[in-house]
Amino acid sequence: MTEPAAEAEQDPEVTAQEATVPVPGAARGGPISHAIFRLARLHRMFAGQLLRRIGLHPGQELVMMHLWELGPQRQIDLVRLMDSDAATMTRTVRRLEQAGFVRRRPSPTDRRASLIEPTTASHALRREVEQVWSRLEDISTAGLSGAECADALATLERLEQNLVRAATPPPEPDARPQ
Amino acid sequence: MTEPAAEAEQDPEVTAQEATVPVPGAARGGPISHAIFRLARLHRMFAGQLLRRIGLHPGQELVMMHLWELGPQRQIDLVRLMDSDAATMTRTVRRLEQAGFVRRRPSPTDRRASLIEPTTASHALRREVEQVWSRLEDISTAGLSGAECADALATLERLEQNLVRAATPPPEPDARPQ
DNA sequence: GTGATTTACTTGTTCAGACAGGAAAACCTT
DNA sequence: AAGGTTTTCCTGTCTGAACAAGTAAATCAC
């Protein structure tokens, strides 16, 4: 069990005829929103194809990276690290367990929780996952200078901050929140 | 329509404690990739919450926008317009039909296909969907000048183009492709 | 200590998205 | 006309993601 990876075929048919999908919303609706949407779609599809070859599904690689980096974690810790969902994490961990990449161990201090830890077999995956991320980064930043990369990053983070601010519960101008 | 700015929500619990989710990959892995990932997640979550209030799920609004804009379409046309998947479209159209937003009519010229058309009832949705997109755009671009918006758009499209290029099948340097 | 609340996790449901496989109609070639 | 191929759509399966609801353990308040 726990055969390391799927090494599949080496050259996938990463054929996305995406290019320029004309969407009504793009013209009059929201050019930025729609660009985010398209970029996200493509990026996700790309990551999915790279991950598929090493036997992971999108999202699972983040769990594994956290575990490799931080060691055994409770599910709730993983949920917080990834800003994910407890229900999703339950299933993701179960699938990773069935795939032989993680193991569950009852928490010695909390009988509600279990500790999730990477199996030794999973360590063969680590380099591959890191290669996937590095490849994705190379592809995304192809042809961009260091300054342009920094610029792009600042732009992405600014957009993100705008959404974070808008999503943040209430301004709560109350002087004494507590 | 197009109420000016984000002016925050008045009610929803759009509480994402996102903020700064520390992910291993962010530090050493791929800052740009990870920023795309986070931005996409937030953007999608936001769109989902706005759409939920008007009774749609993410993705369905795009189908409706195409139908409102272009009139009756075959499923395969919608698939191509959205760069989606035939299987997904089958189910999305079925759900939209059950929700009363679209109707199916057999194609007069092709007995394999049916034409999907928006119902009259759906037209009440149109303004709401447009408001959602416009709100999303306002939120995303809050505090950005016109030039900065154009800049951000260029950045997003450049990243997108990088992925498109990488996904495009082969360079095929063969002089005579045919 | 007893009882209420919170926390960690699970299950059920619904949705999008991707892939495999298949059916029927349309098409092309011979 | 006959046969093979392509197109259009559907179903099944598996995954992530989100929400609701529930269980068991821990914690807090009294």
Side-chain angles (χ1 to χ4, degrees):
Chain A
M1 72 188 83
T2 73
E3 355 182 28
E7 74 179 70
E9 67 305 59
Q10 67 271 33
D11 68 303
E13 48 338 37
V14 191
T15 58
Q17 71 280 39
E18 279 264 346
T20 320
V21 184
V23 167
R28 335 162 326 289
I32 301 264
S33 278
H34 199 259
I36 293 173
F37 184 86
R38 286 192 320 252
L39 175 58
R41 205 169 171 41
L42 251 185
H43 190 264
R44 182 177 183 75
M45 184 201 73
F46 226 112
Q49 280 179 338
L50 293 175
L51 287 171
R52 156 181 275 246
R53 298 186 226 168
I54 61 174
L56 290 178
H57 290 269
Q60 298 183 341
E61 89 282 12
L62 289 180
V63 174
M64 294 310 300
M65 286 168 86
H66 283 295
L67 292 177
W68 287 322
E69 189 122 325
L70 304 173
Q73 301 285 313
R74 296 174 306 162
Q75 284 185 199
I76 190 64
D77 297 324
L78 294 172
V79 165
R80 288 185 185 128
L81 283 166
M82 294 176 54
D83 191 42
S84 179
D85 176 272
T88 299
M89 193 53 69
T90 290
R91 290 156 177 134
T92 295
V93 167
R94 176 157 39 87
R95 285 161 190 146
L96 284 172
E97 191 180 17
Q98 287 166 351
F101 296 136
V102 304
R103 189 180 12 241
R104 297 170 113 109
R105 171 161 52 93
S107 164
T109 64
D110 189 337
R111 274 191 299 161
R112 294 170 303 180
S114 53
L115 292 177
I116 316 299
E117 57 187 6
T119 60
T120 55
S122 83
H123 287 94
L125 255 191
R126 185 167 184 176
R127 260 187 320 150
E128 297 186 89
V129 168
E130 280 162 3
Q131 279 173 10
V132 164
W133 276 76
S134 135
R135 169 117 187 256
L136 206 49
E137 188 77 0
D138 289 344
I139 288 171
S140 302
T141 62
L144 271 69
S145 70
E148 285 171 325
C149 279
D151 239 46
L153 191 56
T155 296
L156 291 171
E157 286 175 342
R158 182 154 187 194
L159 294 172
E160 183 187 355
Q161 275 311 306
N162 275 343
L163 290 172
V164 167
R165 260 193 298 276
T168 296
E172 193 70 62
D174 192 320
R176 313 212 309 293
Q178 226 302 338
Chain B
M1 69 190 80
T2 70
E3 353 182 29
E7 73 177 64
E9 65 307 69
Q10 63 268 33
D11 54 78
E13 52 333 41
V14 190
T15 58
Q17 71 279 41
E18 278 264 347
T20 320
V21 184
V23 167
R28 335 162 327 288
I32 301 266
S33 278
H34 199 259
I36 294 173
F37 184 86
R38 287 191 320 252
L39 174 58
R41 205 164 170 41
L42 251 185
H43 190 263
R44 183 179 182 76
M45 185 201 72
F46 226 112
Q49 280 179 339
L50 293 175
L51 288 171
R52 158 181 272 246
R53 298 185 223 169
I54 61 175
L56 289 178
H57 291 270
Q60 298 183 342
E61 89 281 11
L62 288 180
V63 174
M64 294 310 300
M65 286 168 86
H66 282 295
L67 292 177
W68 287 323
E69 188 122 323
L70 304 174
Q73 302 284 315
R74 296 173 308 163
Q75 285 186 196
I76 190 65
D77 296 325
L78 294 171
V79 165
R80 287 184 186 131
L81 283 165
M82 295 176 52
D83 190 42
S84 180
D85 175 272
T88 298
M89 192 54 67
T90 291
R91 290 154 177 136
T92 295
V93 166
R94 175 156 41 88
R95 286 162 190 145
L96 284 172
E97 191 179 17
Q98 288 166 350
F101 296 136
V102 305
R103 190 182 9 243
R104 297 170 113 108
R105 170 160 52 92
S107 165
T109 63
D110 189 336
R111 274 191 300 162
R112 291 170 305 179
S114 53
L115 293 177
I116 316 300
E117 57 187 7
T119 60
T120 55
S122 83
H123 286 94
L125 255 191
R126 185 167 183 175
R127 259 187 320 151
E128 297 187 89
V129 168
E130 280 162 2
Q131 278 173 12
V132 164
W133 276 77
S134 138
R135 171 118 187 254
L136 205 50
E137 188 76 1
D138 290 343
I139 289 171
S140 301
T141 62
L144 272 69
S145 71
E148 285 172 324
C149 278
D151 240 43
L153 191 56
T155 295
L156 291 171
E157 286 175 343
R158 182 152 186 198
L159 293 173
E160 183 186 355
Q161 275 311 306
N162 274 345
L163 289 172
V164 168
R165 259 195 298 276
T168 297
E172 193 72 63
D174 193 318
R176 314 211 305 293
Q178 229 302 340

